[in-house]
Amino acid sequence: MLLVWGFCLTSTTAQNYSQKGTPMNEFIKKVQTALAARGYQPGPLDGREGPKTQKAIKAFQQDSGLDPDGVVGALTANRLFTEQLSVISFDSDGSTPHFARAEFGCDCGGYCDGFPAEMNLELLLKLEALRNAVNVPVIITSGVRCRQRNAEVGGVDNSQHLFGQAADLHAPGIPIETVAAIGESLGLTAILYEAEGFVHLAI
């Protein structure tokens, strides 16, 4: 079992099973893929934590100056997935593998054309890294805003949403405290809105 930021990633929502009945964990597969991309040898990218995967994790930790305990905790996952930022690609319209550009559009309903400002590319990269880390869908509840929409929702006059430098979001099934911690580990500023159930992440 792997634990990351205190959230168990071997739940039924994160597992599939091979024909032989051997559990395959999607998060472990992401770890294996990231390790292989860096030249480590985790064995087959099969989502199963065998001795080769453990050896590769420990080697990565050793090379990264971390305690080589073989556990993909907060520090290891942060280093592993943050370093993936350089290999995340954008589509021609600014979409990333897990987020469509439209998800960040202003939801004013007609005050603007949907994008009074473009989303900050660094923010989009880090949100994609966050999505890879949590391994569940991340729901964007607010991206860029026009001034009229910002006023309607009670945003501050200089809200970073106006400039595409912030996003409000949540990940179903994962505590918002966990999402915030991951965001902060990626270098983002996090504000928790516990009553509303979302996290504000900004550059």
Side-chain angles (χ1 to χ4, degrees):
M1 176 183 296
L2 285 180
L3 292 176
V4 57
W5 292 287
F7 178 74
C8 178
L9 290 163
T10 55
S11 65
T12 55
T13 60
Q15 280 188 334
N16 291 316
Y17 288 84
S18 68
Q19 292 180 343
K20 295 181 180 180
T22 304
M24 183 188 77
N25 185 287
E26 292 294 341
F27 179 74
I28 296 176
K29 186 174 181 179
K30 287 182 181 293
V31 169
Q32 291 171 328
T33 301
L35 288 167
R38 283 157 184 73
Y40 296 91
Q41 298 179 354
L45 308 183
D46 56 5
R48 288 181 281 274
E49 190 182 6
K52 289 184 178 180
T53 297
Q54 268 289 302
K55 183 177 179 181
I57 292 170
K58 291 179 180 179
F60 172 77
Q61 290 172 323
Q62 184 75 47
D63 292 344
S64 300
L66 302 171
D67 180 21
D69 59 5
V71 176
V72 184
L75 291 176
T76 300
N78 174 29
R79 189 71 58 84
L80 191 60
F81 291 111
T82 299
E83 290 179 358
Q84 282 188 300
L85 293 176
S86 62
V87 298
I88 294 173
S89 61
F90 290 100
D91 290 340
S92 58
D93 66 351
S95 300
T96 60
H98 289 102
F99 295 104
R101 179 175 183 267
E103 294 181 66
F104 297 95
C106 181
D107 62 353
C108 65
Y111 295 132
C112 71
D113 65 359
F115 280 91
E118 290 297 327
M119 292 297 294
N120 180 283
L121 295 183
E122 182 183 355
L123 174 62
L124 294 179
L125 286 174
K126 291 184 176 182
L127 293 180
E128 179 67 24
L130 181 148
R131 169 60 178 82
N132 287 336
V134 298
N135 198 38
V136 299
V138 172
I139 309 302
I140 306 298
T141 59
S142 183
V144 66
R145 298 176 191 156
C146 63
R147 290 197 176 276
Q148 292 93 327
R149 181 57 175 161
N150 189 61
E152 284 183 346
V153 300
V156 297
D157 290 341
N158 62 342
S159 170
Q160 288 172 292
H161 286 281
L162 297 171
F163 313 107
Q165 297 177 351
D168 298 339
L169 53 90
H170 65 94
I174 299 182
I176 59 172
E177 295 84 0
T178 299
V179 177
I182 297 172
E184 289 178 336
S185 78
L186 291 167
L188 298 173
T189 299
I191 302 175
L192 277 70
Y193 289 83
E194 297 185 29
E196 295 85 352
F198 69 85
V199 180
H200 169 92
L201 294 176
I203 289 293

